[in-house]
Amino acid sequence: MIEFTDVHKWFGSLHVLNDISLTVTKGEVVVVCGRSGSGKSTLIRCINGLEPFQKGRLVVDGFDLGSSSVRLRELRMEVGFVFQSFNLYPHKTALENVTIAPIHVRGLSKAEAEVRGRALLEKVGLGDRMQNYPHQLSGGQQQRVAIARSLCMQPKIMLFDEPTSALDPEMINEVLEVMVSLAREGMTMMVVTHEMGFARKVADRVIFMDRGAIVETADPETFFTAAKSERTRDFLSKVLHH
Amino acid sequence: MFWLQLNRVVGYWPVLLKGLGMTVALSVLALLIGSVIGFALGILRAGPNRTLSRAVGLYVDFFRGTPFLLQVFIVFFILPQVGIELSAFTAGVVALSNVAGCFIGEIVAAGIQSVPAGQKEAAAASGFTRAQQMRLIVLPQAVRVVTPSLVGQFVLLIKDSSVVSAIGLLDLTRSGWMIVQNVPNGLLVFGIVGLGYFVICYPLIWLSRRMERRGQAPVL
Ligand SMILES: Nc1ncnc2c1ncn2[C@@H]1O[C@H](COP(=O)(O)OP(=O)(O)OP(=O)(O)O)[C@@H](O)[C@H]1O
Ligand SMILES: [Mg+2]
């Protein structure tokens, strides 16, 4: 589904992705962690073409992101992206936020899109908030709308960039629950997060990044108990004990 | 004496009314055409194409940086020399629409730039085309931010329209000139003319201030 081969990226002279090779298969849930500035966001933003890269090969759902003729729009229909800061459209209601892309990008009728959108908002527990504007919703509710918005395009892959980092602690769980159920339904997911509980529960693999490189890849059990790299263990001791 | 003069000025109401009509017609036309030009310029100015953005910037700065009277003269007296013959009315509308477009363009560009980058990213990530991102996501938010300034700009436009009386259009200002030939009381005549402008502009000023107070800024 997602295949990085020796991918490099620079921001000017800063080497933000250093020789990334990584394969994510259909239905897999991969959690990415690492210190601030290690390149986690950059890594997953490459997957839907929000960031270009300079060297190597990246193929996502058959689309070759390195080629100049890649049809990004078609790729993006298949890849949902959930941002740390939600980025809901402030001038649209929750339901409109969810249905606007299916209508204008997938070409669904308004009625079809609304059937889909309502079902998804129900599913994320916001059946009674469909007509609210984003500013009338709590952070946790906004992020659940954002997840529903991505799902409404019926993507094959879902990417999450620290989806709970901007939330008050009491709202983190309501968002994680939605993500857990999505993972259990077999969605292919890449999730940048420091929520190690989530990683333990549903991740097939956990990746640790440092200075643009993937330093450690392991199943959650091994990752948390027997990480090979010193830097990973150091990081874990800080994350797990705060 | 005063009452007599007032009576005579009022007797010229058809001229005043005609002038007022011309001023309103010029302003409304220029407002419509200028808005179309302004949105086009604003979108290009805030767009990703550097060269185009700079070119638009230069164009806009030229018209913002030269006297409007001069621009009217260029359109009316100089264009005919290169074969573009315009009636005074058309010349007035062209010059006014153009300058309005320049000012509106700057306002619209600022509005577009005020929309957080995350909005465009979210829209791009959903698979919208660039045009859809602009039309469905960015512009609606930008317009909310800039509406008070736009309305304020419309007031300036109405007032600027008085300059076109210089090429012989019988607008509100020129109707004042005509009346003052017969009723030699400039204060009275132009007081009434000023009142005419004020009557059209005040509702807009009021609207602009009210919107600013109510905070038309986007709800984030
Ligand atoms: N647009 C940009 N221009 C220049 N440098 C950038 C840009 N975006 C990110 N960087 C730099 O690239 C590096 C990796 O950034 P990235 O956002 O991928 O890190 P991250 O692991 O997601 O960090 P965080 O946990 O803080 O989100 C950082 O050093 C950052 O300063
Ligand atoms: Mg990040």
Side-chain angles (χ1 to χ4, degrees):
Chain A
M1 269 279 158
I2 305 172
E3 192 169 359
F4 285 86
T5 318
D6 307 328
V7 170
H8 291 261
K9 176 179 175 66
W10 288 266
F11 276 125
S13 63
L14 187 69
H15 203 166
V16 273
L17 292 182
N18 185 356
D19 202 23
I20 301 288
S21 290
L22 168 72
T23 303
V24 180
T25 56
K26 195 167 187 307
E28 228 186 337
V29 177
V30 175
V31 162
V32 181
C33 58
R35 264 183 222 95
S36 180
S38 56
K40 309 177 298 287
S41 300
T42 310
L43 178 79
I44 67 164
R45 287 163 59 88
C46 281
I47 297 172
N48 71 345
L50 280 181
E51 294 284 355
F53 56 92
Q54 282 89 34
K55 219 178 125 191
R57 199 172 139 79
L58 171 56
V59 180
V60 179
D61 188 32
F63 292 88
D64 181 352
L65 278 141
S67 101
S68 55
S69 62
V70 60
R71 293 200 293 276
L72 268 187
R73 251 164 48 72
E74 285 173 36
L75 166 72
R76 285 168 175 169
M77 292 189 206
E78 310 302 334
V79 182
F81 198 104
V82 176
F83 297 86
Q84 179 173 356
S85 49
F86 330 133
N87 296 352
L88 289 182
Y89 309 130
H91 58 303
K92 303 277 178 198
T93 63
L95 185 60
E96 287 166 347
N97 262 279
V98 172
T99 56
I100 185 169
I103 292 172
H104 292 277
V105 179
R106 284 259 192 234
L108 261 60
S109 73
K110 190 163 178 251
E112 288 171 302
E114 284 188 354
V115 168
R116 231 193 242 186
R118 282 175 200 284
L120 281 164
L121 284 172
E122 294 281 357
K123 186 177 154 185
V124 299
L126 293 172
D128 54 342
R129 296 304 212 144
M130 305 210 194
Q131 300 308 327
N132 286 127
Y133 284 88
H135 72 100
Q136 299 167 321
L137 301 173
S138 73
Q141 292 171 332
Q142 288 188 52
Q143 193 61 300
R144 284 184 281 151
V145 174
I147 294 174
R149 172 174 72 177
S150 286
L151 291 176
C152 205
M153 287 293 282
Q154 300 189 330
K156 296 179 186 156
I157 300 170
M158 285 286 286
L159 306 171
F160 296 82
D161 190 1
E162 306 206 35
T164 58
S165 302
L167 298 178
D168 293 336
E170 70 270 19
M171 294 174 186
I172 291 180
N173 272 329
E174 65 191 48
V175 172
L176 288 180
E177 276 165 26
V178 171
M179 292 168 59
V180 166
S181 75
L182 197 57
R184 299 221 158 114
E185 286 162 23
M187 177 62 79
T188 310
M189 291 164 66
M190 255 182 99
V191 185
V192 176
T193 185
H194 290 161
E195 292 298 329
M196 293 306 153
F198 173 80
R200 266 187 225 273
K201 221 186 252 173
V202 294
D204 295 298
R205 251 187 310 157
V206 184
I207 285 174
F208 177 71
M209 286 187 74
D210 191 40
R211 287 178 230 160
I214 295 178
V215 176
E216 185 110 22
T217 308
D219 61 277
E221 184 59 28
T222 319
F223 188 86
F224 291 114
T225 55
K228 290 193 285 284
S229 130
E230 174 74 30
R231 275 184 261 164
T232 312
R233 289 197 298 271
D234 187 46
F235 171 79
L236 281 175
S237 69
K238 279 179 191 137
V239 180
L240 295 176
H241 299 129
H242 72 232
Chain B
M1 185 64 187
F2 175 82
W3 292 111
L4 194 68
Q5 285 182 331
L6 180 65
N7 217 357
R8 285 187 60 198
V9 175
V10 172
Y12 281 102
W13 68 266
V15 182
L16 281 170
L17 202 65
K18 213 170 154 207
L20 186 75
M22 175 59 80
T23 290
V24 169
L26 273 172
S27 305
V28 169
L29 268 177
L31 189 151
L32 294 177
I33 303 171
S35 296
V36 173
I37 298 174
F39 273 83
L41 291 179
I43 289 169
L44 293 178
R45 183 84 177 102
N49 185 326
R50 287 271 177 86
T51 323
L52 213 51
S53 169
R54 291 225 181 98
V56 169
L58 202 67
Y59 181 83
V60 166
D61 287 347
F62 177 79
F63 286 102
R64 298 209 310 167
T66 50
F68 179 54
L69 182 59
L70 193 78
Q71 297 169 21
V72 174
F73 284 159
I74 290 178
V75 173
F76 191 58
F77 296 116
I78 301 182
L79 285 189
Q81 297 189 358
V82 294
I84 306 172
E85 204 74 53
L86 298 174
S87 71
F89 182 74
T90 314
V93 170
V94 167
L96 257 184
S97 303
N98 178 63
V99 80
C102 288
F103 279 96
I104 293 170
E106 281 296 286
I107 295 173
V108 169
I112 289 173
Q113 275 148 3
S114 78
V115 176
Q119 290 291 313
K120 252 178 265 176
E121 277 193 346
S126 298
F128 289 115
T129 60
R130 270 182 196 285
Q132 286 177 323
Q133 291 170 33
M134 189 49 82
R135 181 167 58 87
L136 299 169
I137 307 302
V138 177
L139 270 187
Q141 295 182 54
V143 166
R144 276 180 208 210
V145 179
V146 301
T147 304
S149 324
L150 280 182
V151 176
Q153 192 58 46
F154 295 158
V155 174
L156 293 182
L157 174 71
I158 294 168
K159 295 192 295 177
D160 276 350
S161 74
S162 71
V163 170
V164 299
S165 61
I167 51 172
L169 275 181
L170 197 134
D171 73 335
L172 190 52
T173 301
R174 195 169 180 83
S175 70
W177 275 114
M178 289 180 57
I179 295 166
V180 90
Q181 318 281 321
N182 301 310
V183 188
N185 185 341
L187 184 62
L188 176 65
V189 172
F190 286 108
I192 290 174
V193 166
L195 199 66
Y197 279 105
F198 184 72
V199 166
I200 330 176
C201 291
Y202 186 68
L204 288 174
I205 296 174
W206 178 83
L207 185 69
S208 164
R209 191 174 297 147
R210 200 177 108 114
M211 284 191 299
E212 233 157 286
R213 251 209 317 272
R214 290 200 16 223
Q216 283 280 312
V219 272
L220 284 175

